[in-house]
Amino acid sequence: MTIYSHIKKSIVESERLLAVLIDPDKTELDTIEGIVRKINQSVATHIFVGGSEVDEGATEAVVQAIKRYTTLPVMLFPGDVTQITDEADGILFLSLISGRNPDYLIGKHVESVSKLAKTQLEVLPTGYILIENGKQTAVERVSNTKPLSRSNKQHIVDTAKAGALLGMQLIYLEAGSGATHPIEPEIISAVKDTLNIPLIVGGGIRSKTELEAAYKAGADLVVIGTAFETNQLFFEQLKL
Ligand SMILES: CC(C)=CCC/C(C)=C/CC/C(C)=C/CC/C(C)=C/COP(=O)(O)OP(=O)(O)O
Ligand SMILES: O=P(O)(O)OC[C@@H](O)CO
Ligand SMILES: [Mg+2]
């Protein structure tokens, strides 16, 4: 079964999906075995690997190490073309539709085609929507774009809908890694109501309460990076 069919099947069966984000720049290779064993024992269903700025080659080494210790699907979540590696199972082929920088809407995608053609990666076209949360995020800085205002819900909904109409298979609502506040439940539910494709939500989720709130509002897959980076027992606490 493809990664995408599995995501859709899980939604039909009301299963909650959870991805752990591993940032190759913040992860020493010799710590990966321990990290992945903790992830295997947790409720996580996917591993995402990526960052806004990652040294060339770092992603490949990290994914190779992760794959040694898990059978969970490993998806690239790349900030740039250099992060593409055939060692992963799939790639979130992100188009930054909240912004108006052509490089992040289509440019890097064109650039990546010859590299992707040499891989077996499952490509998942994803409308990536950055929403402001009070401080500048790495994505904002690197892409030189402005996030959508969180007070204009209709504009966020229309952006997600436009992505779906363009044929994107996933929509990702992003508050930014380490965001001070996660995406508000009202925004998640408004977007969910207009979509019939899976919805990913991430950024700033640091507690079981916030995680539950995201699912309750309609997130199909939640991404957690910082909370696990800073406390590897975070997923243990989710079981309680
Ligand atoms: C098409 C290909 C292969 C690449 C371009 C993909 C696009 C358009 C990306 C969108 C913009 C972008 C820079 C996304 C990065 C997403 C990401 C992995 C965020 C994770 O958090 P960080 O931004 O690394 O936060 P920290 O640096 O604080 O850890
Ligand atoms: O690091 P956190 O804040 O959990 O964010 C995860 C992810 O959505 C960032 O791209
Ligand atoms: Mg990073």
Side-chain angles (χ1 to χ4, degrees):
M1 194 188 291
T2 63
I3 297 170
Y4 190 62
S5 325
H6 172 253
I7 290 174
K8 286 199 296 187
K9 181 169 172 275
S10 304
I11 295 170
V12 171
E13 293 171 359
S14 304
E15 280 167 25
R16 291 164 161 192
L17 301 170
L18 179 67
V20 186
L21 173 61
I22 297 184
D23 185 334
D25 262 0
K26 294 179 183 153
T27 315
E28 297 296 334
L29 283 179
D30 60 3
T31 62
I32 287 181
E33 178 175 357
I35 291 172
V36 175
R37 291 200 191 284
K38 287 198 183 75
I39 295 172
N40 287 338
Q41 284 159 20
S42 77
V43 292
T45 55
H46 293 75
I47 298 178
F48 286 0
V49 182
S52 290
E53 296 159 296
V54 176
D55 289 341
E56 196 153 3
T59 305
E60 181 152 286
V62 164
V63 175
Q64 216 166 40
I66 293 171
K67 290 293 290 179
R68 216 172 282 148
Y69 304 109
T70 192
T71 55
L72 290 176
V74 178
M75 307 279 296
L76 300 174
F77 174 34
D80 211 343
V81 184
T82 52
Q83 294 176 39
I84 295 175
T85 164
D86 203 15
E87 299 290 328
D89 301 303
I91 176 169
L92 295 177
F93 202 52
L94 307 169
S95 182
L96 185 59
I97 59 175
S98 53
R100 296 295 178 265
N101 181 342
D103 285 345
Y104 288 84
L105 285 162
I106 183 68
K108 288 184 181 295
H109 312 76
V110 175
E111 232 182 278
S112 68
V113 167
S114 55
K115 213 167 169 184
L116 281 175
K118 296 189 194 102
T119 73
Q120 304 287 313
L121 292 168
E122 181 181 333
V123 177
L124 290 142
T126 304
Y128 190 48
I129 302 177
L130 186 61
I131 299 173
E132 58 98 10
N133 81 101
K135 67 170 191 188
Q136 201 202 37
T137 60
V139 174
E140 207 178 322
R141 182 172 38 77
V142 167
S143 67
N144 197 18
T145 65
K146 288 265 161 283
L148 299 187
S149 161
R150 65 178 148 171
S151 54
N152 194 344
K153 205 160 61 181
Q154 192 57 48
H155 189 51
I156 298 170
V157 168
D158 289 351
T159 303
K161 189 70 186 168
L165 289 172
L166 276 167
M168 281 152 188
Q169 294 188 347
L170 297 162
I171 293 293
Y172 190 145
L173 294 179
E174 171 73 278
S177 185
T180 27
H181 309 285
I183 310 268
E184 282 98 340
E186 307 82 71
I187 294 178
I188 300 174
S189 56
V191 169
K192 181 64 186 177
D193 284 349
T194 67
L195 291 181
N196 49 20
I197 53 172
L199 180 61
I200 305 178
V201 174
I205 295 173
R206 295 166 206 276
S207 67
K208 189 172 176 174
T209 313
E210 288 169 340
L211 178 66
E212 293 290 335
Y215 286 127
K216 194 159 168 260
D220 298 306
L221 188 157
V222 174
V223 187
I224 292 187
T226 307
F228 182 66
E229 256 167 37
T230 51
N231 172 17
Q232 284 186 15
L233 297 175
F234 181 73
F235 290 118
E236 287 296 310
Q237 294 161 6
L238 293 183
K239 289 183 190 160
L240 301 177

